[in-house]
Amino acid sequence: MPKTHRVPATELPPGAVRPAGPWAVANADGRLAAVSRRCRHQLADLSAGSVDADGCLVCPWHQARYDLHTGEMVSGSRGFLGYHGPTPGYSGLVKRLGQVVRLRVRRARREGPDVVVG
């Protein structure tokens, strides 16, 4: 049986993302989701990201966007290393990689005062 990880629900208002073990747990306008914590671009911790208006998880480093239900990267990075700006060819390559090597997805659910993953 997989190990469960918990986050206090009070720490997960709409738009927030929090760590729960190896998972980034997100609240996309009341819909809870959990994905693996490492961005496919440069391994940023996605639990430090945010949820955008489209319900996608946004990487805190270079703004790659992920579908919270499939783990697929829906838009590539907007930068490289410390640079934050246009990188059209590179971003396209990263996006293609993120569509093939998706984030792992787990079910997140409210259980009493906590959100539980596992």
Side-chain angles (χ1 to χ4, degrees), residues 35-51:
V35 296
S36 48
R37 279 178 64 174
R38 295 295 164 195
C39 182
R40 296 302 184 232
H41 174 223
Q42 288 182 331
L43 306 178
D45 185 351
L46 294 172
S47 71
S50 60
V51 178

Side-chain angles (χ1 to χ4, degrees):
M1 179 172 219
K3 182 177 180 180
T4 59
H5 300 277
R6 296 176 179 271
V7 176
T10 56
E11 294 181 13
L12 205 60
V17 184
R18 297 291 181 266
W23 306 103
V25 182
N27 182 340
D29 201 24
R31 293 184 347 255
L32 300 171
V35 296
S36 48
R37 279 178 64 174
R38 295 295 164 195
C39 182
R40 296 302 184 232
H41 174 223
Q42 288 182 331
L43 306 178
D45 185 351
L46 294 172
S47 71
S50 60
V51 178
D52 69 10
D54 295 325
C56 291
L57 174 60
V58 180
C59 175
W61 286 2
H62 297 106
Q63 292 70 54
R65 297 171 60 241
Y66 291 92
D67 182 302
L68 284 165
H69 302 288
T70 66
E72 180 180 331
M73 186 184 287
V74 295
S75 65
S77 62
R78 296 188 181 136
F80 180 74
L81 296 174
Y83 171 71
H84 295 264
T87 56
Y90 178 72
S91 292
L93 176 66
V94 170
K95 181 181 175 191
R96 283 190 293 283
L97 173 67
Q99 290 171 331
V100 174
V101 184
R102 297 176 180 197
L103 299 175
R104 293 176 295 138
V105 178
R106 284 290 183 274
R107 184 171 169 248
R109 66 190 180 284
R110 180 78 187 257
E111 199 173 278
D114 295 331
V115 173
V116 178
V117 178

